[in-house]
Amino acid sequence: MNGAIPKSDQVKSTLEGKPDGPRSPLRVMQALELLAAEPDGLSLARLSERLQTPKTSLLSLLRSLEAGGYVTQLGAQYQLGAKTMRLGALVASRATPDSSITARMHPLLREMMELSGETTLLGVMGDDRRHGVYVDIVEGRGAIRFSSLIGTRRPLFCSAFGKILLAYQPQGEIEVYIHDTDLVLPNGGRRMHKEELLGILAAIRATGIGVSHEEIVDGAGGIGSPIFDRDGRNCGVMVVAAPISRLRSQHDRLSAMTHDYGERASRLLGFSGRYPGSK
């Protein structure tokens, strides 16, 4: 589908001036809003009940949204799709004091992908301050490549961008986080010791580079560098992610590239201090 609405499906108006029909823009937004409020999704029957729309008409709407990537179906449940998550991240970035960080970083992510051939990502601190969240992704060119979705969350103690976000928090917050967190790696189940994690965070602060090898996803890893705003606050992380064999064989080149783009992103946001790891 090309996303165009056939004439037969275009919005009609009632005497009250309200859009009519399940394909109307208003009904689309109402459906997406309901799905956004339900992390586990909603069934066709439940959506039909909430929207007071016949199931047959609603199913046609959902199929259109699914074809466009705005909705996905897992079993009997409908959930937000990757394109809606990206749209939400872009809207959110314009509603924060860091205005448009996602839009401003996207060209750099694109450059990183073209230079490396690998998937590049932008991560920020989640609202719960216990997870990092991907807010933008440019997928690599290779047939075998790292793939994820905007909105994906990662624990702070593992993944390249999570550890970087944790490293630049106040020491007291780091101590509380470690005390309250079960430091078991999702992939393999190995438990990290507090001293090991503190050493990793110290190295990140010294070098400006964070690395993850198969801590979450078997066969994949990432290399990241922090982004600082004009006040010196760590407001995000630039990451290159790849199959573990390529990540290891090109470690030095990808680390230098990611570090360079992390510093470039920081300067773009007005950061004037010494970037970690710079000579």
Side-chain angles (χ1 to χ4, degrees):
M1 290 185 67
N2 60 11
I5 301 177
K7 287 185 178 179
S8 61
D9 292 328
Q10 288 178 356
V11 176
K12 298 178 182 178
S13 296
T14 64
L15 293 176
E16 292 78 20
K18 295 181 181 179
D20 181 47
R23 289 181 181 268
S24 72
L26 177 59
R27 190 57 53 83
V28 168
M29 298 310 295
Q30 289 172 334
L32 294 178
E33 185 176 355
L34 285 173
L35 292 176
E38 298 288 345
D40 296 328
L42 290 169
S43 66
L44 175 63
R46 190 65 174 147
L47 272 170
S48 174
E49 178 185 339
R50 295 273 195 92
L51 292 171
Q52 297 184 340
T53 300
K55 284 194 233 179
T56 52
S57 299
L58 184 56
L59 182 59
S60 180
L61 169 68
L62 291 171
R63 283 175 174 168
S64 297
L65 290 173
E66 187 175 11
Y70 293 96
V71 163
T72 186
Q73 186 178 9
L74 295 176
Q77 302 293 100
Y78 287 91
Q79 298 179 353
L80 295 182
K83 284 192 176 180
T84 301
M85 300 296 285
R86 172 172 168 72
L87 176 62
L90 290 172
V91 171
S93 73
R94 285 158 173 76
T96 66
D98 305 312
S99 177
S100 75
I101 183 174
T102 306
R104 297 180 73 182
M105 296 301 106
H106 188 78
L108 296 184
L109 287 182
R110 175 66 60 181
E111 285 184 27
M112 287 176 66
M113 188 282 289
E114 294 293 343
L115 185 61
S116 66
E118 305 293 355
T119 297
T120 55
L121 309 99
L122 174 66
V124 300
M125 182 70 80
D127 291 340
D128 64 357
R129 303 195 67 80
R130 301 188 62 79
H131 295 82
V133 181
Y134 293 142
V135 294
D136 199 8
I137 299 174
V138 178
E139 287 209 356
R141 297 189 299 265
I144 300 176
R145 60 185 182 272
F146 178 88
S147 183
S148 189
L149 294 174
I150 290 173
T152 297
R153 304 197 312 163
R154 299 297 192 208
L156 294 181
F157 74 93
C158 54
S159 83
F161 87 103
K163 287 182 285 190
I164 292 171
L165 291 169
L166 181 61
Y168 291 98
Q169 300 310 302
Q171 191 60 38
E173 288 189 25
I174 293 175
E175 291 286 345
V176 170
Y177 173 84
I178 293 176
H179 179 271
D180 294 343
T181 302
D182 189 8
L183 304 177
V184 176
L185 297 176
N187 183 37
R190 182 177 72 84
R191 187 181 301 277
M192 295 180 69
H193 295 293
K194 173 183 176 180
E195 293 73 18
E196 176 188 1
L197 180 56
L198 289 174
I200 291 171
L201 301 182
I204 289 172
R205 289 190 291 269
T207 63
I209 295 172
V211 179
S212 169
H213 287 167
E214 300 184 291
E215 293 177 350
I216 294 180
V217 179
D218 192 30
I223 299 173
S225 288
I227 303 170
F228 300 100
D229 63 16
R230 66 175 65 252
D231 298 320
R233 182 174 62 92
N234 176 213
C235 59
V237 181
M238 305 286 279
V239 180
V240 58
I244 198 67
S245 59
R246 295 205 298 263
L247 197 71
R248 284 177 168 148
S249 66
Q250 302 182 58
H251 179 271
D252 291 347
R253 182 178 75 87
L254 294 177
S255 293
M257 180 200 72
T258 306
H259 186 271
D260 176 59
Y261 274 90
E263 182 167 10
R264 284 178 58 185
S266 299
R267 302 303 178 200
L268 184 63
L269 295 182
F271 177 67
S272 59
R274 178 183 175 277
Y275 190 78
S278 297
K279 297 180 180 178

